[in-house]
Amino acid sequence: MTDGGAPVTQRAAHSPVLRHTARAGLLGYALIHLLVAWLALQLAWGPGRSRTGGRSTDSAGALDVLAESPFGDALLWVLAVALAGLCAWQAVEVLRHHREVPAPGPRRRRALVQVVKTVGTAVLYGFLAVSAGRAALGLRAGRAQEQQTVRGVLSWPGGQLLVVAVALVVVGIGVYHVRKGWRSDFLGEIDLSSVSPALCALTARLGQVGFVLKGVALVLVGSVVGWAAATFDPASATGLDGALRAVATGPFGPWVLTVVATGLATFSVYLLARARHPVG
């Protein structure tokens, strides 16, 4: 982008409408985590470990819960708009901070890594926004559709390697979350200067737990999907829902699911803090 485009991205990044919409998107993302945590607890401790009412224990299941609530369609459309705004904000951040490629060296590598992370996050928010819009229209995805998708990809030439590669990326993201939580790197994304020291410490600890346990959940998902690809078993490759259901059948399944649910719930604390106390 030319220098003449810099003021445009600067104005967009500081646009009150975009920033408030992005903060609403963070609140919506936190709500999704809380709902998935609740579904995981239902799967763990419900009668017959199937008390989720046929819902998938993932973001699709969370959207189903919202769809079945009073004013469900309206809530889903609000969520879709908010998440779309969050996606746009992430895209603007890429254009604002990475208009030029640094010279070869460590600085360029760091910049490229940051671009990949930001773009990946924007894609995730965009996917969730589209999913919320589809749910509002009654076009919901279930486990059968996920299995059909994986089965179709595995049937492609090189599809097995592609799914394994995606699984490894998910595992890598999980490891990154664990590292980020363990080192408290996420604190640079929240301005806690206006809160009490006790609340600041509590937010930091809950954020650490949330990042580490969500990272563990992502490693679990990547492992299950990768194993399904390696053994050519599409039935077991259903993302977070399939991973949690596989865990639920184990002897310590309910306790493991409780740990995962705790991680997802505490991760929402970080999202709420970031929405309430953004940096900049």
Side-chain angles (χ1 to χ4, degrees):
M1 181 179 294
T2 62
D3 290 342
V8 176
T9 56
Q10 292 287 346
R11 288 197 301 271
H14 294 285
S15 166
V17 174
L18 183 59
R19 290 179 70 86
H20 287 309
T21 305
R23 292 171 72 175
L26 287 172
L27 294 177
Y29 195 36
L31 177 60
I32 289 175
H33 278 77
L34 289 172
L35 290 174
V36 175
W38 172 242
L39 290 171
L41 289 176
Q42 287 184 311
L43 178 62
W45 302 105
R49 299 184 187 178
S50 60
R51 198 178 156 190
T52 56
R55 301 189 189 96
S56 57
T57 312
D58 53 16
S59 60
L63 294 176
D64 285 346
V65 173
L66 289 178
E68 295 168 7
S69 65
F71 310 105
D73 289 348
L75 288 174
L76 287 171
W77 282 121
V78 170
L79 180 61
V81 172
L83 289 170
L86 189 55
C87 172
W89 176 68
Q90 287 290 100
V92 167
E93 288 297 295
V94 173
L95 297 176
R96 184 163 71 106
H97 294 293
H98 304 285
R99 293 185 300 114
E100 297 179 356
V101 178
R107 188 163 171 260
R108 171 181 284 187
R109 289 194 294 270
R110 288 194 299 269
L112 291 176
V113 169
Q114 186 60 43
V115 167
V116 170
K117 290 192 299 184
T118 306
V119 170
T121 304
V123 170
L124 171 62
Y125 294 147
F127 170 78
L128 291 174
V130 172
S131 298
R134 287 175 56 85
L137 295 172
L139 304 174
R140 305 179 190 177
R143 287 188 293 276
Q145 184 175 345
E146 290 180 348
Q147 291 174 356
Q148 184 178 1
T149 300
V150 175
R151 188 179 296 112
V153 174
L154 287 176
S155 67
W156 296 350
Q160 196 170 9
L161 291 177
L162 176 60
V163 175
V164 170
V166 171
L168 291 176
V169 170
V170 173
V171 170
I173 294 173
V175 173
Y176 168 76
H177 272 69
V178 172
R179 179 177 180 272
K180 188 173 182 177
W182 188 264
R183 298 178 54 176
S184 298
D185 292 341
F186 61 91
L187 290 177
E189 302 167 355
I190 310 172
D191 182 8
L192 297 175
S193 59
S194 61
V195 303
S196 65
L199 184 58
C200 181
L202 178 62
T203 301
R205 293 296 172 265
L206 290 177
Q208 279 186 303
V209 172
F211 266 95
V212 170
L213 294 185
K214 182 178 179 180
V216 170
L218 289 173
V219 170
L220 178 65
V221 171
S223 300
V224 170
V225 173
W227 176 254
T231 59
F232 210 86
D233 182 15
S236 64
T238 55
L240 179 60
D241 176 69
L244 295 185
R245 289 181 185 276
V247 169
T249 61
F252 301 103
W255 295 106
V256 175
L257 290 180
T258 300
V259 171
V260 171
T262 301
L264 294 173
T266 49
F267 187 79
S268 68
V269 173
Y270 152 76
L271 294 171
L272 294 172
R274 190 176 177 190
R276 180 66 179 85
H277 303 282
V279 175

